[in-house]
Amino acid sequence: MVLEEAGPNAKLILRTNHEVRSPSHGEVCIRIDACAVAFRDILDRTGAFPFIKRNAVLGHEFAGTVKAVGENTNLQVGERVVSLHWDQTEAWPSPLTPNGPVNSFIGLTVDGGYAEYCTVTEGTLVRVPNGWSAIQAAPVMSTFGTVWQGAKVRARLNPEDTVLVTGCSGGVGSSALQICKAIGCKTVIAVTSSQNKVGYLKKLGADEIIITDDQNPFHKNSKVLSLGGCDVAIECVGGPTFLQSLRCLKPEGRLVLVGNVSNSTVPLPLGLCILKSLSVVGSDSIFSDELIQLFRFLSEENLRPNIDHILPLEKANEAHALLENKCVSGRIVLQISPDNWVD
């Protein structure tokens, strides 16, 4: 699926003659077995990132099998891998350098996983342990991974914390809820804009659920006030809910920002941040070594991403429409090859 120009989902065009490069020095050619569809794909498609390459192949959350390797690589043909957002040997912790975005930014500056094959640098990939299907593995980096890096590694999430999660029925939000429950956080408050998602969030273990809209801001909700606020807010929505999440925090609270679905900006109340000694932590990905540890943790806790829809590659446009219309609980995954691993 090629994005010929920014615009509606009809701009994603299925091509049957798309060229696949042979891997050169330090590169690997991957057969894509599954590729998750995230809201960042909507931002990519609609032109949120002006540096996106022409005729880009989107898809930064893929799982696949090594089919060919170039010189000076450690991966071997047949190994199972998932993608990182970019090659971390090129830059970390951000894909943005003083000279611009990295050359390995999947789905933006290099082709991604909405395809049967893609060729990327080896540093863009992490091996997947046995016991995982390709469909389960594809979303891990961007759902559980961004939350783990931001909340657990950088914001020191721990069992003593009361945590609030916005956009909790989405792929990242539901993963955040699962991680918080697995760690044993004291109380986890799930925020959603839909009454229809309450049963889903209860099943995942939410201790409290707040249904919010413009007339009912959640930072004034009695469930938040009765707890005296939250130690950690995991912000999966961004602009529309950021200030409310900030106002939910106790003194020395930490806001972990892992999503911005509207690609918007917000006025930051500096006085509030100063007087309450608040921290804002952004997280766009997960360090490769941490992803290896995360797979181990998820396997031990028997946690997997929640997959709502499995669609073929040619229905990527439909996947985008489902996301834009808020018809998804968890993640959508494109199944691209019949090999769905496990072992």
Side-chain angles (χ1 to χ4, degrees):
M1 300 293 288
V2 175
L3 179 66
E4 295 186 331
E5 59 180 337
N9 61 43
K11 295 295 183 181
L12 286 171
I13 306 298
L14 183 64
R15 285 188 183 173
T16 58
N17 59 347
H18 191 69
E19 181 182 359
V20 180
R21 290 189 302 105
S22 297
S24 61
H25 184 87
E27 289 187 325
V28 178
C29 180
I30 304 298
R31 182 193 70 205
I32 308 297
D33 297 318
C35 184
V37 180
F39 211 92
R40 202 204 85 184
D41 295 4
I42 310 297
L43 299 179
D44 295 349
R45 194 202 74 222
T46 53
F49 300 95
F51 53 79
I52 190 170
K53 69 190 290 286
R54 290 177 59 85
N55 294 317
V57 177
L58 304 185
H60 59 283
E61 303 179 24
F62 63 76
T65 305
V66 177
K67 300 306 290 184
V69 297
E71 296 179 358
N72 195 34
T73 55
N74 294 311
L75 287 170
Q76 298 180 4
V77 171
E79 288 195 284
R80 300 162 177 176
V81 294
V82 291
S83 60
L84 299 164
H85 280 113
W86 68 89
D87 186 339
Q88 295 177 359
T89 66
E90 189 178 358
W92 176 258
S94 171
L96 303 179
T97 74
N99 297 318
V102 294
N103 296 321
S104 56
F105 208 168
I106 293 182
L108 291 170
T109 61
V110 66
D111 286 344
Y114 287 18
E116 294 179 328
Y117 294 89
C118 74
T119 300
V120 295
T121 54
E122 185 179 45
T124 314
L125 305 167
V126 168
R127 292 179 178 90
V128 179
N130 289 337
W132 286 78
S133 72
I135 288 171
Q136 293 169 336
V140 166
M141 175 274 298
S142 200
T143 55
F144 285 109
T146 52
V147 173
W148 184 270
Q149 186 72 33
K152 183 72 169 66
V153 177
R154 297 189 57 212
R156 309 175 309 283
L157 184 70
N158 65 78
E160 298 301 313
D161 287 330
T162 295
V163 186
L164 178 140
V165 182
T166 65
C168 203
S169 62
V172 179
S174 57
S175 297
L177 173 53
Q178 289 177 277
I179 283 180
C180 291
K181 295 302 293 183
I183 288 173
C185 293
K186 186 186 300 181
T187 304
V188 185
I189 305 170
V191 177
T192 179
S193 60
S194 174
Q195 177 71 45
N196 296 333
K197 304 295 176 67
V198 170
Y200 172 70
L201 295 173
K202 285 182 177 179
K203 184 178 179 181
L204 291 181
D207 298 301
E208 301 284 355
I209 299 172
I210 297 175
I211 301 168
T212 187
D213 55 38
D214 293 339
Q215 284 71 48
N216 297 285
F218 58 82
H219 70 285
K220 295 182 178 180
N221 187 278
S222 61
K223 295 175 182 177
V224 175
L225 296 176
S226 66
L227 293 168
C230 304
D231 301 291
V232 177
I234 301 178
E235 180 53 72
C236 304
V237 176
T241 55
F242 179 89
L243 291 177
Q244 293 182 64
S245 290
L246 200 70
R247 295 185 187 283
C248 284
L249 293 175
K250 298 176 181 178
E252 295 192 328
R254 296 94 76 198
L255 188 151
V256 181
L257 180 61
V258 294
N260 188 17
V261 298
S262 59
N263 195 33
S264 57
T265 59
V266 295
L268 186 66
L270 300 180
L272 179 69
C273 295
I274 293 168
L275 291 174
K276 294 183 75 173
S277 298
L278 304 180
S279 300
V280 177
V281 176
S283 180
D284 180 47
S285 193
I286 180 170
F287 187 55
S288 57
D289 288 349
E290 285 292 339
L291 183 54
I292 294 169
Q293 297 296 323
L294 175 60
F295 267 115
R296 185 176 298 120
F297 174 84
L298 296 176
S299 295
E300 290 172 352
E301 297 291 333
N302 196 29
L303 294 180
R304 298 293 187 271
N306 288 282
I307 310 301
D308 197 9
H309 299 269
I310 300 172
L311 300 173
L313 175 61
E314 58 268 24
K315 291 193 175 182
N317 311 69
E318 181 181 325
H320 280 228
L322 288 167
L323 275 176
E324 290 176 292
N325 292 319
K326 298 183 178 180
C327 297
V328 181
S329 297
R331 254 317 185 247
I332 300 175
V333 177
L334 304 175
Q335 184 169 9
I336 299 174
S337 91
D339 187 351
N340 197 25
W341 316 341
V342 177
D343 290 350

